[in-house]
């Protein structure tokens, strides 16, 4: 298991290749990538991502541990960036390796749902008109209920 | 104890972190003390339902006791992913 909270960009291909390399027991690897969307309709200049150093790593590790208890997983990778990102930049990625694809898919979705509202990150959209904090959505909280 | 603020809570209060000497028994008591200090705290804590709190980096509740706690953090609901 690897958790990385970082400001620097990551190489999706290199990370995916390195993940579970040499693990011949896993028949399924799922990767998910989160990308900065331009929700401000062509006006988004920068997405600032703030986090809580220390708690962020602990919270993600706890979520990943929970996933490993619920599903049969050979490995888990979570990379999440912070700092100033531009539209189209990759914010984060999750990868899961499992013997069967159902475990890999479900665990990846679980990780995403929990990272969204239980890992201490906050997004701020900066446009020509100023900055606005992205509000949490009720549906994100509701998404946790299915687990 | 150390009190930390993130996102718009940090912006409203104007600082990311401060040391607070307090005898407050619970998080809610600490919030009352802060709100009584200055308008910027009252503005930040106006609606507790819009806030979350972590005690020593674990999500907690406003009725939680503060005994033994070294670090309290206030922030809006998280928006990761």
């Amino acid at each position: 298991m690897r958790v990385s909270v970082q400001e620097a960009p990551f190489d999706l291909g290199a990370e995916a290749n390195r993940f579970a390399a040499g693990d011949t027991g896993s028949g399924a690897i799922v990767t998910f990538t989160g990308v900065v969307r331009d929700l401000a309709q062509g006006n988004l200049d920068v997405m600032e991502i703030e986090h809580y150093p220390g708690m962020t790593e602990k919270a993600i590790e706890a979520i990943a541990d929970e996933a490993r208890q619920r599903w049969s997983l050979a490995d888990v990778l979570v990379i999440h960036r912070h700092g100033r990102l531009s539209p189209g930049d990759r914010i984060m990625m999750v990868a899961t390796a499992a013997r069967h694809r159902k475990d890999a898919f479900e665990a990846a979705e679980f990780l995403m749902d929990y990272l969204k509202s239980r890992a201490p990150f906050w997004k701020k959209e900066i446009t020509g008109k100023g900055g606005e904090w992205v509000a949490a959505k009720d549906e994100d909280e509701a998404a946790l209920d299915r687990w | 104890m150390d009190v930390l603020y993130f996102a718009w809570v940090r912006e409203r209060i104007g600082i990311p972190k401060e040391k607070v000497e307090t005898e407050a028994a619970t998080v809610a008591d600490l919030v009352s003390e802060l709100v009584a200090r200055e308008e910027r705290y009252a503005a930040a804590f106006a609606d507790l339902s819009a806030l979350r709190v972590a005690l020593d980096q674990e999500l907690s509740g406003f009725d939680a006791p503060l005994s033994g706690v070294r670090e309290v953090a206030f922030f809006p609901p998280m928006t990761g992913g």
Side-chain angles (χ1 to χ4, degrees):
Chain A
M1 177 172 105
R2 187 162 78 88
V3 169
S4 177
V5 179
Q6 61 189 56
E7 193 160 0
F10 56 88
D11 182 331
L12 177 62
E15 294 294 347
N17 284 333
R18 193 182 317 155
F19 180 69
D23 168 17
T24 53
S26 294
I29 291 174
V30 165
T31 62
F32 171 89
T33 315
V35 177
V36 178
R37 261 190 308 172
D38 187 354
L39 292 171
Q41 291 145 3
N43 297 316
L44 180 66
D45 295 323
V46 169
M47 172 85 87
E48 275 182 7
I49 302 178
E50 182 172 337
H51 80 117
Y52 183 171
M55 179 174 170
T56 312
E57 292 81 357
K58 278 197 250 179
I60 297 174
E61 281 165 16
I63 293 165
D65 282 342
E66 174 79 19
R68 297 187 74 159
Q69 284 173 28
R70 290 181 181 224
W71 290 276
S72 179
L73 300 172
D75 205 359
V76 174
L77 168 67
V78 178
I79 299 175
H80 202 304
R81 296 179 62 193
H82 61 88
R84 292 168 71 85
L85 282 76
S86 302
D89 284 354
R90 290 169 180 147
I91 302 180
M92 56 89 65
M93 73 172 285
V94 154
T96 54
R99 185 169 287 270
H100 303 293
R101 71 172 186 269
K102 189 166 185 287
D103 287 307
F105 271 121
E106 285 186 8
E109 281 213 78
F110 170 89
L111 286 164
M112 285 313 307
D113 282 349
Y114 270 82
L115 286 169
K116 219 161 176 58
S117 41
R118 290 292 183 273
F121 290 99
W122 301 275
K123 295 194 184 102
K124 189 179 193 180
E125 293 178 339
I126 315 289
T127 67
K129 292 183 200 155
E132 187 146 357
W133 291 99
V134 175
K137 297 189 193 76
D138 290 343
E139 66 210 55
D140 292 337
E141 191 64 28
L144 304 185
D145 292 343
R146 67 177 166 140
W147 308 110
Chain B
M1 65 180 66
D2 290 323
V3 181
L4 283 66
Y5 310 107
F6 291 96
W8 58 255
V9 183
R10 170 178 55 72
E11 290 178 340
R12 279 187 203 175
I13 293 173
I15 46 172
K17 182 177 181 176
E18 63 183 319
K19 285 220 180 286
V20 174
E21 297 297 328
T22 179
E23 299 296 316
T26 66
V27 175
D29 294 342
L30 173 63
V31 169
S32 300
E33 286 181 14
L34 293 171
V35 165
R37 276 184 175 182
E38 282 179 59
E39 176 53 33
R40 58 196 170 109
Y41 291 95
F45 290 107
D47 177 9
L48 290 189
S49 72
L51 291 180
R52 301 290 179 267
V53 60
L55 302 181
D56 290 330
Q57 306 190 349
E58 293 271 352
L59 274 178
S60 190
F62 285 87
D63 55 353
L66 286 178
S67 72
V69 171
R70 286 168 302 175
E71 186 173 295
V72 180
F74 295 103
F75 42 79
M78 296 160 268
T79 52

